Amino acid sequence: TLLGRRLLHPLRRSAGMSSSSALAAEAAPPSALRWAVLPWSFFIGENVLLSHNRASIIALCGGDEQSYHALYNALSTAACASLGFGYFFRVAGAPPLRHVSVAAVGGSFVLQAVGLAGLFQALPRAQLPLASEP
């Protein structure tokens, strides 16, 4: 609740902020969460928009497919750079958003193990590319 947040963060309220701006700051998601979600949203949105509107964008570029590829590459590079910056400088090492129980950790381990077992069953058998005939 908001009252609980105020009690947990008394320093933020007393830092010269008005009560409404302090409430807005407390209601905003943590910086690590924003840096985890927004770059991925930008990356997915950029790929969807540029891929599904390819013909229209090429027409806007005067029919030059090289310009389309330059635009696509520039936006993809910006999206990947924001992903890397967010992960390496904002999200990695940030405290978890909430406590994770032992049961949740155990359940995630079991589900990941079952998924990996299914993946290994679906992969083709590993063979040497060159084999001598007996």
Side-chain angles (χ1 to χ4, degrees), residues 35 38-40 42-44 46-47 72-88:
W35 276 103
L38 293 178
W40 276 110
F42 174 54
F43 179 76
I44 292 168
E46 167 260 329
N47 277 299
Y72 197 103
N73 292 342
L75 288 175
S76 290
T77 300
C80 289
S82 68
L83 279 168
F85 176 80
Y87 179 74
F88 289 113

Coordinates of all heavy atoms in Angstrom, one line a residue, residues 35 38-40 42-44 46-47 72-88:
W35 N 14.7 -0.5 -17.2 CA 15.8 -0.9 -18.1 C 15.7 -2.3 -18.6 O 16.3 -2.7 -19.5 CB 17.1 -0.6 -17.5 CG 17.5 0.8 -17.6 CD1 17.5 1.8 -16.7 CD2 18.0 1.5 -18.8 NE1 17.9 3.0 -17.3 CE2 18.2 2.8 -18.6 CE3 18.3 1.0 -20.1 CZ2 18.7 3.7 -19.5 CZ3 18.8 1.9 -21.1 CH2 19.0 3.2 -20.8
L38 N 11.8 -1.8 -21.1 CA 11.7 -0.9 -22.2 C 12.7 -1.2 -23.4 O 12.2 -1.1 -24.5 CB 12.0 0.6 -21.7 CG 10.9 1.1 -20.8 CD1 11.2 2.5 -20.3 CD2 9.5 1.1 -21.5
P39 N 13.9 -1.6 -23.2 CA 14.7 -1.9 -24.4 C 14.2 -3.2 -25.1 O 14.2 -3.2 -26.4 CB 16.1 -2.2 -23.8 CG 16.2 -1.4 -22.6 CD 14.8 -1.5 -22.0
W40 N 13.7 -4.1 -24.4 CA 13.1 -5.3 -25.1 C 11.8 -4.9 -25.9 O 11.6 -5.4 -27.0 CB 12.7 -6.4 -24.1 CG 13.9 -7.3 -23.8 CD1 14.6 -7.3 -22.6 CD2 14.5 -8.2 -24.7 NE1 15.6 -8.2 -22.7 CE2 15.6 -8.8 -24.0 CE3 14.3 -8.6 -26.0 CZ2 16.4 -9.7 -24.5 CZ3 15.2 -9.5 -26.5 CH2 16.2 -10.1 -25.8
F42 N 11.3 -1.9 -27.2 CA 11.8 -1.2 -28.3 C 12.3 -2.2 -29.4 O 12.0 -2.0 -30.6 CB 12.9 -0.2 -27.9 CG 13.5 0.5 -29.0 CD1 12.8 1.2 -30.0 CD2 14.9 0.5 -29.2 CE1 13.4 1.9 -31.0 CE2 15.5 1.1 -30.2 CZ 14.8 1.8 -31.1
F43 N 13.0 -3.2 -29.0 CA 13.6 -4.2 -29.9 C 12.5 -4.9 -30.6 O 12.5 -5.0 -31.9 CB 14.5 -5.1 -29.2 CG 15.1 -6.2 -30.0 CD1 16.1 -6.0 -30.8 CD2 14.6 -7.5 -30.0 CE1 16.7 -6.9 -31.6 CE2 15.1 -8.5 -30.7 CZ 16.2 -8.2 -31.6
I44 N 11.5 -5.4 -29.9 CA 10.4 -6.2 -30.5 C 9.5 -5.3 -31.4 O 9.2 -5.6 -32.5 CB 9.5 -6.8 -29.4 CG1 10.3 -7.9 -28.7 CG2 8.2 -7.4 -30.0 CD1 9.7 -8.4 -27.4
E46 N 10.4 -2.5 -32.9 CA 11.1 -2.1 -34.1 C 11.2 -3.2 -35.1 O 10.9 -3.0 -36.3 CB 12.6 -1.7 -33.6 CG 13.6 -1.6 -34.7 CD 14.5 -2.8 -34.8 OE1 14.7 -3.5 -33.8 OE2 14.9 -3.1 -36.0
N47 N 11.4 -4.4 -34.7 CA 11.4 -5.5 -35.6 C 10.0 -5.8 -36.2 O 9.9 -6.0 -37.4 CB 11.9 -6.8 -34.9 CG 13.4 -6.9 -34.9 OD1 14.0 -6.9 -35.9 ND2 13.9 -6.9 -33.7
Y72 N 16.9 -0.1 -41.1 CA 16.7 -1.3 -40.2 C 17.9 -1.6 -39.4 O 17.8 -1.9 -38.2 CB 16.4 -2.5 -41.2 CG 15.8 -3.7 -40.5 CD1 14.4 -3.9 -40.6 CD2 16.5 -4.5 -39.7 CE1 13.8 -5.0 -39.9 CE2 15.9 -5.6 -39.0 CZ 14.6 -5.8 -39.2 OH 14.0 -6.9 -38.5
N73 N 19.1 -1.6 -40.0 CA 20.3 -1.8 -39.3 C 20.6 -0.8 -38.2 O 21.0 -1.1 -37.1 CB 21.5 -1.9 -40.2 CG 21.4 -3.1 -41.1 OD1 20.7 -4.1 -40.9 ND2 22.2 -3.1 -42.2
A74 N 20.3 0.5 -38.5 CA 20.6 1.5 -37.5 C 19.6 1.3 -36.3 O 20.1 1.4 -35.1 CB 20.4 2.9 -38.1
L75 N 18.4 1.1 -36.5 CA 17.4 0.9 -35.4 C 17.7 -0.4 -34.7 O 17.6 -0.4 -33.4 CB 16.0 0.9 -35.9 CG 15.5 2.3 -36.4 CD1 14.1 2.2 -37.0 CD2 15.5 3.3 -35.3
S76 N 18.1 -1.4 -35.3 CA 18.4 -2.7 -34.6 C 19.7 -2.5 -33.8 O 19.7 -3.0 -32.7 CB 18.6 -3.8 -35.6 OG 17.4 -4.2 -36.2
T77 N 20.6 -1.8 -34.3 CA 21.8 -1.5 -33.5 C 21.5 -0.7 -32.3 O 22.0 -1.0 -31.2 CB 22.9 -0.8 -34.4 OG1 23.2 -1.6 -35.5 CG2 24.1 -0.5 -33.6
A78 N 20.7 0.3 -32.4 CA 20.3 1.1 -31.3 C 19.5 0.3 -30.2 O 19.7 0.4 -29.0 CB 19.4 2.3 -31.7
A79 N 18.6 -0.6 -30.7 CA 17.9 -1.5 -29.8 C 18.8 -2.4 -29.1 O 18.7 -2.6 -27.9 CB 16.8 -2.2 -30.6
C80 N 19.7 -3.0 -29.8 CA 20.6 -4.0 -29.1 C 21.6 -3.2 -28.2 O 21.9 -3.8 -27.1 CB 21.4 -4.7 -30.2 SG 20.4 -5.9 -31.1
A81 N 22.0 -2.0 -28.6 CA 22.9 -1.3 -27.7 C 22.1 -0.9 -26.4 O 22.7 -1.0 -25.3 CB 23.4 0.0 -28.4
S82 N 20.9 -0.5 -26.5 CA 20.1 -0.2 -25.3 C 19.9 -1.5 -24.4 O 19.9 -1.4 -23.2 CB 18.8 0.5 -25.6 OG 17.9 -0.5 -26.3
L83 N 19.7 -2.6 -25.1 CA 19.6 -3.9 -24.3 C 20.9 -4.2 -23.6 O 20.9 -4.5 -22.4 CB 19.3 -5.0 -25.3 CG 17.9 -5.2 -25.7 CD1 17.8 -6.2 -26.9 CD2 17.0 -5.7 -24.6
G84 N 22.0 -4.0 -24.2 CA 23.3 -4.3 -23.6 C 23.6 -3.3 -22.5 O 24.0 -3.7 -21.4
F85 N 23.3 -2.0 -22.7 CA 23.5 -1.0 -21.7 C 22.6 -1.3 -20.4 O 23.1 -1.3 -19.3 CB 23.2 0.4 -22.2 CG 23.4 1.4 -21.1 CD1 24.6 1.9 -20.8 CD2 22.2 1.9 -20.5 CE1 24.7 2.9 -19.8 CE2 22.3 2.9 -19.6 CZ 23.6 3.4 -19.2
G86 N 21.4 -1.6 -20.7 CA 20.4 -1.9 -19.6 C 20.9 -3.1 -18.8 O 20.8 -3.1 -17.6
Y87 N 21.3 -4.1 -19.5 CA 21.6 -5.4 -18.8 C 22.9 -5.2 -18.0 O 23.0 -5.5 -16.9 CB 21.8 -6.5 -19.8 CG 22.2 -7.8 -19.0 CD1 21.2 -8.5 -18.2 CD2 23.4 -8.3 -19.1 CE1 21.6 -9.6 -17.5 CE2 23.8 -9.4 -18.4 CZ 22.9 -10.1 -17.6 OH 23.3 -11.2 -16.9
F88 N 24.0 -4.7 -18.7 CA 25.3 -4.7 -18.1 C 25.4 -3.6 -17.0 O 26.2 -3.7 -16.1 CB 26.4 -4.6 -19.1 CG 26.6 -5.9 -19.9 CD1 26.3 -5.9 -21.2 CD2 27.0 -7.0 -19.3 CE1 26.4 -7.1 -21.9 CE2 27.1 -8.2 -20.0 CZ 26.8 -8.2 -21.3

